[in-house]
């Protein structure tokens, strides 16, 4: 069994890289952010408060009810709620076993798994065969997200809003006390500020293939 851990901040391109690596090696892929997003969305839908442990834990217990392809999972407001529920240790604990078991027994008999998130290399799979920490400066990430959402039609106001939201999410994800976003000691660092996804993919492949 081969496990590849990809961690990094919001909008760093880790999901795209993880999907490309999984397709290349024919491994299973788990977007662990989608699990936190599902918990955040359940809390919002039930009118609860994502910062309240009681609401977030009740939602985490029902995470299996959420369709992980629901487009509402991808919105910025769901992302912000996800980042809030993710700071609650009991929520992380509930989602931990699911993630570890996916890595140990990938679905459909696949011979390996690629997991992307914030704490895969540090907490979920500390013994992963390969660990990559992907990052890019916050303005670059905001610009990518902005182009994705608005194409060339966006306004400066919209860009500034995305930038502020990313900064807020980075701050929360990096400074929480349980499993904060940080590179594992033995992770390869990949800065994508000046690279497109193809270059990042090639670089990751050469790190993995040694
Ligand atoms: O990767 P993403 O933007 O979909 O993640 C949404 C939020 O979920 C993110 O702001 C923090 C949280 N998260 C986490 O704490 N640990 C993970 N392994 C994955 C996501």
């Amino acid at each position: 069994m081969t496990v590849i851990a990809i961690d990094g901040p919001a909008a760093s391109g880790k999901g795209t890289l993880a999907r490309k690596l999984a397709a290349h090696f024919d491994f299973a892929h788990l977007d662990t952010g989608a699990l936190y997003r599902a918990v955040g969305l359940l809390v919002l839908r039930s009118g609860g408060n994502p910062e309240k442990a009681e609401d977030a834990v009740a939602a985490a217990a029902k995470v299996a009810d959420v369709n992980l392809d629901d487009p509402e999972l991808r919105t910025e407001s769901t992302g912000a709620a996800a980042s809030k529920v993710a700071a609650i240790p009991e929520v992380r604990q509930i989602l931990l076993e699911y993630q570890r078991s996916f890595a140990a027994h990938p679905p459909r008999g696949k011979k390996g798994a690629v997991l992307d998130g914030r704490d895969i290399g540090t907490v979920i799979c500390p013994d992963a065969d390969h660990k990559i920490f992907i990052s890019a400066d916050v303005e670059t990430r905001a610009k990518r997200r902005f182009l994705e959402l608005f194409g060339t039609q966006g306004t400066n106001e919209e860009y500034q809003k995305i930038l502020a939201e990313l900064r807020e999410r980075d701050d929360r994800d990096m400074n929480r006390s349980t499993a904060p976003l940080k590179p594992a000691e033995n992770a390869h660092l990949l800065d994508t500020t000046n690279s497109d996804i193809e270059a990042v993919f090639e670089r990751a492949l050469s790190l993995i293939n040694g």
Side-chain angles (χ1 to χ4, degrees):
M1 189 65 54
T2 304
V3 175
I4 303 176
I6 314 275
D7 290 302
S12 56
K14 61 186 182 317
T16 311
L17 175 62
R19 271 190 299 278
K20 281 178 83 74
L21 288 172
H24 177 84
F25 290 110
D26 193 27
F27 287 172
H29 168 228
L30 181 64
D31 165 8
T32 66
L35 303 175
Y36 291 93
R37 284 173 181 266
V39 176
L41 187 59
L42 282 173
V43 175
L44 295 179
R45 280 186 179 156
S46 67
N49 175 358
E51 280 170 314
K52 205 167 140 201
E54 201 183 318
D55 294 356
V57 167
K62 289 187 267 178
V63 69
D65 298 351
V66 179
N67 167 11
L68 293 182
D69 294 323
D70 187 332
E72 245 190 286
L73 288 182
R74 308 312 323 164
T75 66
E76 276 309 306
S77 56
T78 305
S83 169
K84 290 174 184 162
V85 300
I88 298 169
E90 296 93 318
V91 170
R92 304 200 72 81
Q93 190 58 38
I94 292 170
L95 300 182
L96 182 119
E97 272 319 307
Y98 178 87
Q99 297 171 78
R100 282 200 179 146
S101 130
F102 186 99
H105 312 283
R108 299 182 303 283
K110 300 280 184 190
K111 301 260 182 303
V114 184
L115 282 79
D116 74 85
R118 301 290 187 294
D119 62 340
I120 308 303
T122 51
V123 175
I124 305 294
C125 301
D127 298 326
D129 301 271
H130 307 283
K131 299 182 186 179
I132 294 176
F133 190 91
I134 175 167
S135 65
D137 66 40
V138 69
E139 287 86 2
T140 304
R141 288 186 279 125
K143 217 172 284 165
R144 288 180 191 154
R145 184 54 57 88
F146 172 68
L147 285 174
E148 218 174 83
L149 289 175
F150 300 102
T152 51
Q153 308 299 313
T155 62
N156 183 46
E157 204 183 338
E158 281 155 341
Y159 167 75
Q160 294 300 335
K161 184 162 179 271
I162 291 175
L163 180 61
E165 282 167 352
L166 277 185
R167 286 207 162 107
E168 196 182 311
R169 202 131 74 85
D170 279 357
D171 181 54
R172 201 182 298 112
D173 294 347
M174 288 173 190
N175 295 312
R176 64 181 178 223
S177 52
T178 308
L181 170 67
K182 64 168 187 215
E185 268 171 25
N186 52 354
H188 293 288
L189 304 182
L190 254 184
D191 189 310
T192 74
T193 305
N194 297 308
S195 324
D196 62 17
I197 180 61
E198 280 311 321
V200 173
F201 174 62
E202 291 303 327
R203 179 105 182 81
L205 265 190
S206 68
L207 290 172
I208 291 167
N209 290 328

